[in-house]
Amino acid sequence: MSASREKKNRQDLASQGIKDPKAIREAEEKAKLRKANRLYGTIAVVFVVVAALLLVVKSGVLYRDPDAVTIDGQNYTVAQVNYYYRGLANNIAKAGYYGLDNSKPLTDQVMNDTAKMLLQVTDEGEVTWDQFLKEYAVKQLSLRAMVVKEAEANGMGADDAIKAEVQETISGLKESLKPEGYSLKSYLKLAYGQGMTPSLFEEMLTADEVTSHYMQHYEESLTYTVDELEADYQEHPATFDVASYEYIYFKGSAPSTTDADGNTVQPTEEESAAAKNAAAAAAKAALERYQNGESLAEISEDFKDLGSYSSVDAGSNNGSAMSAWVFDSARTAGEGAVVEDDPNSYLVVFHSIGREEYNSVDVRHILFLVDSSSLDKDSETYDADLQALKDGAKAKAEDALAQWKAGDATEDSFAALANELSADDGSNTNGGLYTKVLKGQMVTEFNDWLFDESRQPGDTGIAYGESSNYKGYHVIYFVGDDVPYWQVQAENALRNTDTEAWLDGLLDSAEVVQENGMKHVG
């Protein structure tokens, strides 16, 4: 949805006396995305409120939420199906590039080819968004029902930890609703329809958490021998191999111009053809120079107005024309060629290809966050105030490391301290441990410390880290090397394949019957 349309929707809500739900949406998205909930076959559900999906609740009318689907003998209502239908519809509309417009009836909107490709729809005929979303919602609800049933059969239903997570999510949502004048009950009706009550919403969240936890448990329980991993690599080497190569990119598109009135003028066909030919000629000339002994880096200096030089140490096959040439089994070290990818041309030199053999690593850490949420970014003292917060977090990190060194100074004592002090929810119940960490997985400073060539088991240190999600200081304990990178890749690939097969089996075994209430979904 475009910014202008979203603004108009908010204005429409205001004209009806409904306050702007933007802040609510943002808060709820953060709460829902706190866990990476893996959903079958499409994208993660995000719950948002948009004007087009608001239902008018008529006072004095007693509403009964009808059954929409029966799964293995259990009835599910319209509101329960809408929980997934509307969640995905809003997420897709927010993305903007799928072509879904929530301000218009979804029964009248046909999915475009891009949306079908991204959402794995194989039907080549006309598919309305309503048809797709109903099928998705029923499939998601069916999957959840079957996973929950298996989880409960294995003693992994809704335990105290899961219930606490759900209550934390609901409490956070309630707090975000207060400034906007919504009660939880009224908000849920607006977002999901009249049948969605606070108790049903809690039930849906709980089932989602059980599903997420059990799917993670199942996937992590899958183990493979080194021989099995080697066999998978040998069967699919292109999936794992990376290549070392360098290239000069020669731009083959003609630039647009601006007329006297400031309007953009696209290049003519003649101008476009000339630019394409110039790029190809330059690439050919550069190839001759390379074959005569010059390096690509040196050659590129004479083509700065037309091209740019790059060196790739471990590039994967991205399906481009250049990748197709690089990953061809006929390549030999030092071989160079001109590769055309209309309208551009590339001079490419191949060096080597193979799997990543470097070792992944295991590490423990204690995170001290820099919480700058209360600072005013427009304040003249912002930089100084932020630095003061950073200094405070760094001091806590230094104190924690000193405390550990003054004690037993063992891995176990570090793990205990991580459970006590770390702000990282992903590791502060398992001693701050992350295993099989790969290069580039952590923020730059953390990564550079981990993969320093001099790093030894038992080393400790402090590194500042910052991303779009956090700022903070890490107290780090290096546990040691783990399995090679390619084995991590192969293991993840096999786990993903086997988990998807398990999920497909659960869905195939589900007895699903759509009821009359399906006509009210949407």
Side-chain angles (χ1 to χ4, degrees), residues 176-244:
S176 69
L177 291 169
K178 286 180 181 178
E180 303 303 322
Y182 288 114
S183 66
L184 179 62
K185 182 178 180 180
S186 63
Y187 170 72
L188 294 176
K189 289 183 183 295
L190 292 172
Y192 307 110
Q194 299 180 67
M196 183 58 72
T197 62
S199 61
L200 181 58
F201 184 63
E202 181 177 342
E203 177 186 316
M204 299 298 288
L205 288 178
T206 301
D208 276 350
E209 287 292 341
V210 171
T211 299
S212 177
H213 282 254
Y214 191 72
M215 287 171 68
Q216 182 177 351
H217 162 76
Y218 179 89
E219 188 166 10
E220 292 177 349
S221 70
L222 299 174
T223 58
Y224 306 92
T225 66
V226 175
D227 288 343
E228 288 173 324
L229 298 178
E230 181 68 40
D232 187 57
Y233 168 76
Q234 295 298 337
E235 186 176 355
H236 310 99
T239 303
F240 306 103
D241 281 345
V242 293
S244 172

Side-chain angles (χ1 to χ4, degrees), residues 395-414:
K396 291 179 181 178
E398 292 171 341
D399 288 346
L401 183 56
Q403 178 183 338
W404 173 78
K405 288 181 176 180
D408 294 339
T410 63
E411 182 180 346
D412 287 342
S413 64
F414 190 95

Side-chain angles (χ1 to χ4, degrees), residues 11-167:
Q11 291 171 340
D12 290 343
L13 289 174
S15 68
Q16 300 170 40
I18 301 175
K19 294 183 179 180
D20 179 6
K22 184 176 181 181
I24 301 172
R25 180 173 68 237
E26 292 174 349
E28 191 175 17
E29 284 179 1
K30 289 179 181 178
K32 285 300 296 178
L33 291 175
R34 207 169 28 83
K35 294 181 65 67
N37 201 19
R38 181 182 180 186
L39 297 178
Y40 184 83
T42 62
I43 57 180
V45 172
V46 178
F47 301 97
V48 295
V49 180
V50 292
L53 291 183
L54 298 184
L55 296 182
V56 178
V57 181
K58 298 179 180 179
S59 59
V61 177
L62 181 62
Y63 177 79
R64 180 182 178 277
D65 192 21
D67 292 335
V69 64
T70 300
I71 303 170
D72 267 22
Q74 176 68 44
N75 293 332
Y76 295 89
T77 66
V78 170
Q80 289 172 299
V81 179
N82 270 340
Y83 177 84
Y84 294 109
Y85 179 108
R86 293 189 177 188
L88 183 61
N90 289 318
N91 196 27
I92 290 174
K94 184 185 177 188
Y97 46 78
Y98 290 90
L100 184 150
D101 185 348
N102 264 330
S103 67
K104 300 175 182 178
L106 300 186
T107 52
D108 297 339
Q109 297 182 58
V110 176
M111 298 179 73
N112 59 36
D113 291 340
T114 300
K116 284 185 175 182
M117 177 189 68
L118 293 171
L119 297 173
Q120 303 172 32
V121 176
T122 58
D123 190 334
E124 296 181 359
E126 288 193 351
V127 179
T128 68
W129 277 108
D130 178 69
Q131 289 172 324
F132 166 76
L133 290 166
K134 281 180 177 176
E135 181 179 345
Y136 165 83
V138 172
K139 181 181 288 186
Q140 184 60 33
L141 193 58
S142 300
L143 177 71
R144 194 206 68 179
M146 301 305 290
V147 173
V148 167
K149 180 183 292 188
E150 185 159 321
E152 291 175 344
N154 286 279
M156 295 187 65
D159 57 18
D160 290 342
I162 286 177
K163 292 176 182 178
E165 288 182 19
V166 170
Q167 290 306 315

